[in-house]
Each structure stands twice: as structure tokens, then as C-alpha cells.
Amino acid sequence: MRKYYICMEIGGTNLRYGIVKNSMEIVEFNKISTKGLSDAKDKIKYLAVLIDSMLHKVDIKNVKAITMALASLIDKNRKILYSSPMIKDFNNIAIVDQLQSIFKIPVIIEKDVNILLLYEINKSILNKRGIIIGVFIGTGLGNAICIDGQIYKGNSGTACELGHIPVPGLDLMCGCGKKGCIELLACGNVLHRLAAEKYKCHVSEIFIKHGNENDVRCIVFNCAIAIATEVTILDPTCLILGGGVIEMEGFPMNFLKQSIRENLRIPDPRESLKIISASGDEYAGVIGVALHAKKMLE
């Protein structure tokens, strides 16, 4: 009986990968910088080397699937990677067909934020009825929506790109190819630039040393505005907040929650909205893609 999944979570900052049993037990877990993939000329070859290193540790006959969570825009059929704003030249790749032709094993892909939301819903044993929103503030502003237990993909498969809603008057160019995206004002990349260029500190220290500065608070507030906009439209049963920025030491979680609620209508959804924090499990994406692959194969 096939009992292993080869799993990858490719984010804008980190690439996590490992081997997960059918029982969802981690056999092996690794984390490296996504920079290696970003700098690689042949992206498929780079990924294939990592996958091959894991396949050598188990009997390939026991591998059920290679499964990946991507910080990318992908097609509705989950075969083609359209664009990855946080990873250089990781665009327009028939990633599923190319990897399947190399390894002759099923390859299953999904957006990373969708996978993280599914993981959190399962871990917290949340009631899947209704709408659950996940916002993961990391390198970018990630977003996923689950409706009655099913991830919402949209007509073309490109739904829930919260970070790429337009901001009037913002003329900056985004990595997605258009101008004025709110992610240019609200994500880890913005914090990183602010820490390096203005405060001359490592980004991990920005909330500890400069968390009360207006420009730092403004980035958090901009995240809240984007989140409140989606909550206003959808009136979800639950909002899950997570991501690397939220997990940083000194992050003003109370300020974020307060700013979200202050920008919602009274009395509801301001009073009725349930907000919970994501687990912060480092292996969430790796186990999450295994859970997703298992469901897809069944």
C-alpha cells in the first residue's frame, strides 16, 4: 500500500519540504530560503533535485503523490503556474505535467494560503458550515476563503488575491504586473524595506524597536483595511489570522484586531465576527498539502 507524500510549501521567503505518512505523521522536514529557487535558471530542475533527494529516502513504489503549496497564481485546473510575484521568473510553467513526466508520480498543486487555511480548519476542528476567511500576512498579503468546507477558487481559479486589490492614487508597480496593489503598502516586504532603509535594523526587530512609529503602525493598519473590506463583503463566521509577520516578536495583534473591527459596520459584523489566531506551526504547509492530496486522491 502506498503510504507516503512528498510535500513542498514554496513561500516568498522560505521553501519547506518533507515526507509525510498517510497517517499525517512527518517522517522528514526541512526548511531552506526560497532565494535558491528564485536564483535558479532552471526552476523545474531545481525542484526536481529536492524531490529526488526525498524519493531516495523512501521506496518510490510507496509514494502516493508529490504535492506542492505555491505562493503563486495558478490555473483553475491546478496544472499551470501563472505567476509568482515574490519569486523571480517563476512564471508560466506547466509545473504538473513537467514534474509528472520526470517522476511518473501524480503531482498535485494548490495555492499556499488555501492549504494553510485547510490545515487550520482541521487542526482547530472548526465547523465547516458557512464562510471562513484566512489572512496570512507574510512576505505578501495572503488570503483564502472556505465555503461549506470547500476552498473558493473563483471562475478562473484566481480568486482571493486580497493583496492585489487596487488603491486609488497609488502609482507604484507591483510584482504581479499591475500598479497600485494594496500589498505594496501592507506586507512583510514593505516592513523589510522600511527596516533596512530607514531604521537600519533587521526586520525581525522592527516591532520590538520601532513598533510605535507611525510608518510601522500604518503598514499594520493597511492590512486591517484590506481585511475589513473582505469581511464587510462576505460576513464570515470566522476570521483566521496568521503568517510570518504576525508571528514576529512584538507584533501589535490587538491593534490589528481593533483596526479591523473599527472599520466594520455596527452592530454586525463588528460584534459578531469571530477572530482566532493561526497555530503558527512551522510544518503547517507541509502537512496541509498532504491532507489536501489525500482528499484529492480519494
Side-chain angles (χ1 to χ4, degrees):
M1 174 180 170
R2 292 177 180 265
K3 58 182 180 180
Y4 296 110
Y5 298 93
I6 302 300
C7 304
M8 281 190 176
E9 179 202 357
I10 304 174
T13 302
N14 295 306
L15 192 162
R16 298 174 175 87
Y17 62 101
I19 303 167
V20 179
K21 284 185 177 180
N22 196 49
S23 60
M24 297 302 121
E25 176 187 350
I26 291 181
V27 177
E28 179 170 323
F29 176 80
N30 302 280
K31 183 177 78 170
I32 58 176
S33 171
T34 308
K35 188 177 185 302
L37 173 64
S38 189
D39 291 343
K41 291 184 178 180
D42 189 330
K43 310 297 187 187
I44 293 295
K45 183 177 179 180
Y46 182 92
L47 294 174
V49 170
L50 290 180
I51 292 167
D52 193 56
S53 70
M54 289 184 280
L55 288 173
H56 275 87
K57 296 178 181 180
V58 295
D59 186 343
I60 195 169
K61 294 179 181 178
N62 287 327
V63 175
K64 301 187 76 168
I66 296 165
T67 179
M68 312 174 82
L70 305 165
S72 310
L73 198 65
I74 55 181
D75 73 315
K76 188 173 185 177
N77 294 323
R78 297 334 201 208
K79 297 284 187 180
I80 300 170
L81 187 160
Y82 285 147
S83 67
S84 307
M86 303 296 172
I87 304 173
K88 183 174 61 181
D89 299 326
F90 199 38
N91 310 312
N92 300 314
I93 300 172
I95 189 168
V96 169
D97 288 345
Q98 290 190 46
L99 288 175
Q100 283 184 167
S101 69
I102 295 171
F103 295 106
K104 315 302 180 188
I105 299 171
V107 175
I108 298 169
I109 65 171
E110 186 52 79
K111 289 172 62 176
D112 61 343
V113 285
N114 290 344
I115 292 299
L116 292 173
L117 180 57
L118 288 173
Y119 175 85
E120 297 299 336
I121 290 171
N122 278 276
K123 176 159 186 175
S124 298
I125 318 176
L126 296 178
N127 187 336
K128 295 183 176 66
R129 294 190 64 182
I131 297 175
I132 300 174
I133 290 174
V135 177
F136 300 91
I137 308 171
T139 308
L141 184 59
N143 175 223
I145 298 172
C146 185
I147 304 175
D148 293 332
Q150 299 296 319
I151 287 296
Y152 180 68
K153 299 178 183 178
N155 177 61
S156 63
T158 59
C160 308
E161 289 293 323
L162 185 64
H164 301 286
I165 58 176
V167 177
L170 184 61
D171 200 41
L172 298 173
M173 181 63 71
C174 179
C176 76
K178 69 181 185 71
K179 292 181 179 180
C181 295
I182 197 166
E183 192 170 86
L184 295 165
L185 304 175
C187 70
N189 262 349
V190 185
L191 285 167
H192 194 280
R193 286 195 298 272
L194 187 63
E197 295 171 9
K198 181 176 180 178
Y199 295 116
K200 311 300 181 185
C201 69
H202 192 274
V203 67
S204 63
E205 302 175 310
I206 195 164
F207 290 118
I208 303 169
K209 295 183 175 180
H210 307 286
N212 291 322
E213 299 290 342
N214 286 337
D215 44 11
V216 177
R217 302 276 280 192
C218 188
I219 293 170
V220 178
F221 182 78
N222 289 332
C223 292
I225 291 298
I227 295 166
T229 300
E230 185 166 87
V231 170
T232 298
I233 295 168
L234 296 176
D235 187 21
T237 58
C238 182
L239 166 65
I240 299 175
L241 297 174
V245 170
I246 284 177
E247 293 163 15
M248 289 167 60
E249 187 175 354
F251 179 82
M253 190 63 162
N254 289 336
F255 174 68
L256 174 64
K257 290 180 179 179
Q258 178 185 341
S259 298
I260 292 170
R261 292 196 187 276
E262 287 179 350
N263 285 282
L264 298 176
R265 292 193 67 175
I266 302 170
D268 296 318
R270 181 183 291 190
E271 294 179 9
S272 61
L273 179 65
K274 179 182 180 181
I275 303 177
I276 65 175
S277 297
S279 63
D281 293 342
E282 188 163 31
Y283 47 78
V286 169
I287 290 183
V289 287
L291 284 166
H292 175 65
K294 183 176 183 179
K295 182 178 179 181
M296 293 295 292
L297 291 173
E298 289 174 351

